[in-house]
């Protein structure tokens, strides 16, 4: 009884021996690492039969904290994926702790935005850094979120700054597993 | 790379020719019906190989709108599933419209609670009606939510009143598919 055109499209990230994006490095920042892979491929839908070193899946779903005002600001500034000049990219899987998920919606929102400024900080880096969030938690995946970022190589410094600011925030005290996978589009 | 003890346990509802809960009736209130079945079974985890007329899956995940204050009230009053006297039950799968999912978090919350009083109304029926919500939307399922209710037969009138109040709310204007499956525990 699965619907034919899912309203929350499933995206599968495949770490393998061939693919579209060449993996430059995989760094385990917090928690258990993942095994190495040479290439990263991004597939629509499931890919259980794809040859792989690892597979990470997430659904492109609705935003969980964004207010209507923030949503308007984001929509006005955020670029599409697939820009020709955006040949650098990163896949950052994170998992949040049981303590985070035990918080109520208002408590999570207060940490996420009122205190950590997640959306406000992210807005400063638009339209340089394109971003797509994938929700994995309800899928029984090892990570809660997979965030995919695309940018021109000249904006790598800005991207590092964005990550450093988020990682220094109160919200990140609840991140108990984080992998940073850097890739570039080849050919 | 699926985790061994998922933090959002998957539950599978199986409509079949045998099971634990005898299906009294299946009513399609809004949108497409589902095919009939005689029995309903509730399984932990996936059940792709289970003989079935239909399978509906959902993850027991964190609450998306509940504030910390509301959460304390719910925790204080809500009973566990599986009470001996709760031999009546209902599975109510619903899907919400694209218009609902296009709303921002603050807009959805305002409709859900400030205007429709979903939690406040539900609290009035605790501890008579036990309830567990399953999130299905990100799983690519045909419904967004599966709610499972258990109650003693003497509280069926109260249960009908609860449903009538929720279905009359502004929130329900966004429900574009709803099935009402009534069951009872036999033996």
């Amino acid at each position: 009884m699965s619907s034919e055109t899912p309203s929350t499209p499933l995206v599968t990230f495949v770490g393998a021996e061939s693919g579209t994006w060449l993996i430059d490095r995989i760094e385990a920042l917090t928690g258990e690492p993942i095994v190495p892979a040479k290439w990263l491929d991004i597939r629509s839908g499931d890919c259980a039969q794809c040859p792989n070193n690892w597979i990470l899946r997430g659904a492109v779903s609705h935003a969980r904290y964004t207010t209507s005002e923030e949503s308007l600001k984001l929509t006005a500034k955020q670029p599409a994926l697939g820009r020709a000049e955006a040949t650098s990219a990163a896949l950052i899987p994170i998992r949040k702790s049981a303590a985070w998920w035990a918080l109520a919606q208002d408590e999570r929102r207060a940490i996420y935005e009122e205190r950590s400024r997640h959306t406000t900080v992210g807005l400063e880096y638009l339209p340089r850094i394109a971003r797509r969030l994938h929700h994995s938690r309800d899928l029984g995946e090892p990570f809660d979120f997979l965030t995919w970022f695309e940018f021109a190589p000249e904006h790598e410094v800005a991207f590092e700054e964005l990550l450093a600011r988020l990682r220094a925030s109160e919200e990140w005290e609840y991140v108990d597993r984080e992998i940073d996978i850097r890739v570039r589009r080849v050919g």
Side-chain angles (χ1 to χ4, degrees), chain A residues 39-50:
Chain A
W39 293 84
L40 178 70
D41 234 1
I42 307 175
R43 304 291 190 102
S44 296
D46 227 324
C47 206
Q49 307 307 318
C50 291

Side-chain angles (χ1 to χ4, degrees), chain A residues 83-89 128-129 150-160:
Chain A
R83 293 171 297 176
E85 70 275 20
T87 57
S88 292
R128 289 170 290 173
I129 316 288
E150 288 179 4
F151 46 92
E154 72 207 69
H155 293 136
E156 189 177 345
V157 173
F159 180 61
E160 297 295 352

